Amino acid sequence: MPLLTGVSPDRIAAAARRVMARCDELARVSSTPDGIERIYLSPEHARVNRLAAEWMRELGMRTRQDAAGNQLGRLERLAGDGLDPDAPALMIGSHLDTVRDAGRFDGIVGVLMALEVARLLRVPAADDRYGVPLPFALEVMAFSDEEGARFGKALLGSSAVAGLWHDDWWALTDTDGTTLRQAFLEFGLDPARVGEAARRPDELVGYLEAHIEQGPELDRRGEALAVVSSIAAARRFQLVVEGEARHAGGTPYDMRRDALLGASEAALAVERICAAEHHIIGTVGQLEAFPGAVNVVPGQARLSLDLRGEFDGERDRVWDEISRELDTIMGRRHLRWQAREVHNAPAVMCAPLLQDVVREGISSTLPGSDQPETLFSPAGHDGMSIGAVADVGMLFLRNPDGISHHPDEAVSAADVALGIRALAESVLQLAADRA
């Protein structure tokens, strides 16, 4: 049963148009003139935080940039004629950073939809401020580094909020050799205070995120919205294949130990093994040959492996199978190989209650949709970190053709309108459950 009463379709449509226009406005904040690129602790990061803070203040929110560079707005819970600044909060939002040559919706649409939900639910308080008539406060979070495009480590912003910051991250460097510590200082943040971004479990009642699906399933099924059941388990490796560099013209094939060919066969093995599995995705996104001369047989090759799965155990089983296959390939080619794990994140299951409220939110928004689609997310999200301190729930929006991390990624204003209503209904369903 819908709980968001008295809100006209025209008002929801206007909210969706505002989201789409602001996506365009944020897309113009980029470090590159012919694309979208907005990385952590950059001048562009500062500019979009200022814009987000301005939009939050328009709604009567109390705003702050936390010690890790995340931008936060808060509407307090109404308590009698005043506001309750100590109430725990439901956090809703996503991220404003991008990959290089990005689209304009990945993450961004979730932050802007959260602002529109806050607009729909806020009410005036007696002291000329705004609050929410909910059993909890409402916070909109714009995370700062979900993608990891600058320092190679994803989820830095949300890791800080979850209290998962590691001191060895300070030595991470970007392509210009700038360390994370130096970037903090240049941005105006104090590395010694990053711990102040951490939230306690008793401060949060949960985290809800709306996000475009980064794949084609909803589009293929003709559905606009879906409940997310979990966020994929992920492991990333840097692999090195060692052979022998020799003259390209003078070395017979039976004497070659070509590291590039071994690495290429390894990449094909990853595809073959993972394609035969259910909900396992393996990707070789980087491949380099050394010494890299046109007339030299490659003596070394370096490649990356991104391995994801719905469940930790299945992902790890497939890594073991890939390892055995690489042993076979390299043995046959008289090569050596080694792997260094650079990322390991367990699967995060969305909380059953939050799955239920999102399901109710979708059903209330789409009459006749008693059993909305349920998908797991192969892509990572800030909820992977926030799950350490709060229950997590997610809502997917249809992504035409399933294109993401690319300028052609898309979402329609009509689906955004449905998503705004469904997200607001989800918040009200959670409030009713806790009343």
Side-chain angles (χ1 to χ4, degrees):
M1 177 183 296
L3 299 177
L4 187 66
T5 58
V7 177
S8 70
D10 286 346
R11 187 177 175 191
I12 297 292
R17 289 194 297 271
R18 194 160 37 243
V19 167
M20 301 299 280
R22 286 176 170 178
C23 284
D24 290 342
E25 184 173 354
L26 290 172
R28 292 191 288 271
V29 182
S30 173
S31 61
T32 58
D34 55 352
I36 303 172
E37 182 178 308
R38 206 161 47 244
I39 58 175
Y40 189 38
L41 303 177
S42 65
E44 294 74 33
H45 171 184
R47 286 177 60 193
V48 295
N49 272 14
R50 288 194 294 270
L51 276 172
E54 177 183 328
W55 295 333
M56 291 169 177
R57 286 191 291 270
E58 287 176 3
L59 302 179
M61 295 184 127
R62 180 164 54 87
T63 67
R64 64 185 175 91
Q65 179 179 270
D66 73 15
N70 303 300
Q71 182 62 46
L72 173 68
R74 179 179 170 105
L75 287 174
E76 303 293 359
R77 182 181 77 90
L78 288 177
D81 291 335
L83 301 175
D84 179 6
D86 298 320
L90 174 66
M91 182 183 289
I92 55 177
S94 192
H95 63 95
L96 293 179
D97 67 304
T98 73
V99 295
R100 302 179 193 277
D101 198 27
R104 64 191 59 209
F105 301 111
D106 173 4
I108 290 85
V109 73
V111 176
L112 299 178
M113 285 175 57
L115 287 173
E116 295 305 322
V117 169
R119 188 189 304 274
L120 291 172
L121 300 182
R122 68 179 183 149
V123 295
D127 54 4
D128 295 327
R129 291 186 291 167
Y130 280 91
V132 284
L134 304 170
F136 42 75
L138 191 66
E139 294 183 354
V140 174
M141 175 64 87
F143 286 111
S144 57
D145 185 55
E146 192 259 14
E147 301 289 6
R150 182 173 184 183
F151 294 101
K153 171 62 182 171
L155 307 174
L156 287 173
S158 52
S159 292
V161 172
L164 302 176
W165 195 270
H166 293 278
D167 282 342
D168 56 358
W169 294 348
W170 293 120
L172 294 172
T173 59
D174 64 13
T175 55
D176 294 326
T178 302
T179 66
L180 179 56
R181 179 183 294 277
Q182 183 180 347
F184 253 63
L185 294 170
E186 292 175 354
F187 194 78
L189 298 174
D190 183 353
R193 300 180 63 182
V194 70
E196 296 176 12
R199 305 295 292 275
R200 301 189 311 272
D202 64 322
E203 295 179 308
L204 299 173
V205 300
Y207 171 64
L208 283 177
E209 178 171 358
H211 204 285
I212 61 168
E213 184 202 354
Q214 293 174 279
E217 288 305 311
L218 281 174
D219 193 39
R220 287 175 174 176
R221 300 178 194 188
E223 300 289 342
L225 306 173
V227 182
V228 176
S229 59
S230 66
I231 305 172
R235 295 177 74 176
R236 293 176 183 167
F237 301 88
Q238 292 294 331
L239 280 62
V240 178
V241 178
E242 296 284 356
E244 185 177 53
R246 297 185 64 166
H247 194 284
T251 308
Y253 279 107
D254 62 352
M255 294 180 62
R256 292 187 180 213
R257 297 170 55 203
D258 190 321
L260 178 57
L261 292 181
S264 300
E265 192 172 346
L268 292 172
V270 168
E271 178 189 46
R272 171 171 45 80
I273 291 169
C274 293
E277 297 285 341
H278 179 66
H279 285 179
I280 297 288
I281 306 100
T283 303
V284 175
Q286 298 172 326
L287 177 58
E288 297 178 283
F290 299 91
V294 68
N295 59 346
V296 177
V297 174
Q300 184 187 82
R302 302 173 191 171
L303 63 159
S304 63
L305 172 61
D306 180 297
L307 186 64
R308 304 172 189 232
E310 186 172 9
F311 302 107
D312 299 2
E314 290 300 293
R315 173 206 60 185
D316 294 343
R317 175 185 59 78
V318 172
W319 166 243
D320 290 341
E321 184 176 349
I322 290 171
S323 297
R324 289 192 295 271
E325 183 63 16
L326 264 59
D327 284 340
T328 299
I329 292 169
M330 304 311 165
R332 174 167 36 81
R333 289 184 169 275
H334 306 291
L335 303 169
R336 301 181 305 277
W337 76 283
Q338 58 182 327
R340 178 172 62 91
E341 188 169 30
V342 294
H343 177 72
N344 189 324
V348 173
M349 308 304 294
C350 292
L353 173 59
L354 295 185
Q355 288 190 57
D356 287 344
V357 300
V358 172
R359 188 171 291 110
E360 288 293 327
I362 295 174
S363 296
S364 298
T365 299
L366 301 173
S369 180
D370 293 334
Q371 293 296 324
E373 297 288 341
T374 299
L375 302 175
F376 99 102
S377 175
H381 302 283
D382 288 301
M384 299 178 77
S385 298
I386 301 303
V389 289
D391 286 344
V392 171
M394 286 194 71
L395 168 74
F396 267 169
L397 284 73
R398 173 169 43 199
N399 177 0
D401 296 325
I403 298 172
S404 183
H405 282 188
H406 186 276
D408 289 343
E409 77 181 12
V411 68
S412 72
D415 285 353
V416 169
L418 294 172
I420 290 169
R421 183 177 285 277
L423 187 59
E425 290 279 5
S426 301
V427 173
L428 292 174
Q429 293 286 347
L430 181 62
D433 183 83
R434 293 178 63 92

